[in-house]
Amino acid sequence: PLAAQQGRARRHSMKAQVVEVSASAIVNEAAKASAAVRQNDENETIEDMDDEDGPGAGGKRQRGAGGSVVPPSFGPVSALEAFGGKSEFRRVPVPPNRYSPLRKDWMSIYTPIVEQLKLDVRMNPRKRCVELKTNEHTQDIDVLQKAADFLRAYMLGFAVTDAVALLRVEDLFVDSFMVTDVKILKGDHLSRAIGRLAGKDGKCKFAIENATRTRIIIADSRVHILGSFSRIKVARDAICALILGSPISKVYSNLRSTAGRLSQKI
């Protein structure tokens, strides 16, 4: 029995040695194969770089006369290509009180959208909205959103000459809020607050517009302000002060000092 146990132990040790030798051989072969592949890749990369740097090379990396790498130049992407060859679409609803002004000012709205922004525009009377769409002539991606903002500003009540500034000037916005967001008012108190905002013959509204260089629309209890961010903030503060009951003379003096600071910043 002792001899049999010794024989089994020898056989197990021999099998373990064979397994270790075979595993080490496999590891060595895999390392040699990966080293050979890496060397081939490096050689091919060097050859490609030599070919690209050579005269008349058609690769991406080309060198100038002084040996500097010339960056690749790409042409501008059209709006149709940016959206994967599909036309983008926007729809702006038309409120009932803007049908007649829209019919009268249609050519003034149509001209900048079609001739300058290169967009397609139409009035859909069934859905009561103005529809915008890109085409193969549209060059910029952002013009569709600009045209939609221009139409929305017009639908809120701004004149075409004021709303068209959204197409030509950057950093212009429209801010909207309600009188009841500032202070909860009802009945005659709400009517008096709206009257204080407008003033006699619109004098107060025009004074705020001229001091802050913004445009203000008061539609029932809703106020819309068109202008740059900083000037919208000044106009909104003045309107909120009037709603809360500040005297008009105090609001005018604050506007005068604020307008002076804004002109100095410019």
Side-chain angles (χ1 to χ4, degrees):
L2 182 60
Q5 290 179 0
Q6 291 178 355
R8 283 196 296 270
R10 282 196 298 271
R11 285 195 297 271
H12 285 308
S13 62
M14 290 173 64
K15 287 181 181 179
Q17 291 176 1
V18 170
V19 170
E20 290 178 0
V21 171
S22 60
S24 61
I26 292 172
V27 170
N28 292 333
E29 291 179 0
K32 291 179 182 178
S34 62
V37 171
R38 195 181 303 112
Q39 185 66 32
N40 292 334
D41 292 341
E42 291 178 357
N43 294 335
E44 291 177 359
T45 304
I46 293 172
E47 291 177 0
D48 294 339
M49 292 174 64
D50 293 339
D51 293 339
E52 290 172 358
D53 294 338
K60 293 182 181 178
R61 288 189 53 174
Q62 295 184 3
R63 298 189 179 276
S68 59
V69 177
V70 179
S73 60
F74 300 100
V77 179
S78 64
L80 204 61
E81 294 174 352
F83 293 118
K86 297 180 181 179
S87 297
E88 280 290 302
F89 186 78
R90 292 286 189 280
R91 184 179 285 132
V92 181
V94 181
N97 63 317
R98 299 298 288 173
Y99 281 150
S100 297
L102 180 64
R103 189 180 296 110
K104 184 179 66 175
D105 298 331
W106 177 252
M107 289 308 299
S108 301
I109 296 171
Y110 172 89
T111 303
I113 292 177
V114 175
E115 295 184 359
Q116 298 176 13
L117 305 183
K118 309 297 182 183
L119 295 172
D120 294 337
V121 59
R122 71 173 183 179
M123 174 65 189
N124 191 338
R126 179 177 296 179
K127 295 185 177 180
R128 298 181 180 181
C129 62
V130 178
E131 297 175 345
L132 298 165
K133 190 179 73 170
T134 58
N135 52 39
E136 64 273 8
H137 302 292
T138 307
Q139 299 175 354
D140 196 359
I141 303 174
D142 301 330
V143 294
L144 186 63
Q145 187 60 42
K146 284 185 178 180
D149 293 339
F150 162 61
L151 286 174
R152 288 193 185 96
Y154 179 78
M155 300 309 170
L156 290 176
F158 293 100
V160 180
T161 54
D162 297 332
V164 78
L166 290 167
L167 303 179
R168 299 173 180 172
V169 183
E170 298 291 337
D171 300 330
L172 287 184
F173 309 96
V174 176
D175 186 21
S176 301
F177 64 94
M178 297 187 67
V179 175
T180 53
D181 294 339
V182 181
K183 187 178 182 181
I184 298 176
L185 299 171
K186 295 179 181 179
D188 293 340
H189 300 289
L190 179 60
S191 302
R192 278 193 291 270
I194 296 172
R196 282 166 55 82
L197 296 182
K200 184 180 179 181
D201 299 328
K203 188 182 298 183
C204 183
K205 182 174 79 74
F206 293 147
I208 296 174
E209 287 181 344
N210 294 332
T212 59
R213 294 184 185 178
T214 57
R215 290 294 177 266
I216 300 172
I217 295 294
I218 302 173
D220 195 12
S221 62
R222 190 175 292 274
V223 181
H224 310 287
I225 308 174
L226 170 66
S228 62
F229 180 79
S230 58
R231 296 180 181 277
I232 284 177
K233 184 179 181 304
V234 175
R236 187 174 61 239
D237 291 343
I239 292 173
C240 291
L242 288 173
I243 295 172
L244 292 174
S246 295
I248 296 180
S249 58
K250 183 177 180 180
V251 174
Y252 282 171
S253 62
N254 292 338
L255 276 177
R256 205 173 293 116
S257 61
T258 306
R261 287 199 302 268
L262 287 175
S263 61
Q264 288 176 1
K265 285 183 181 179
I266 293 175

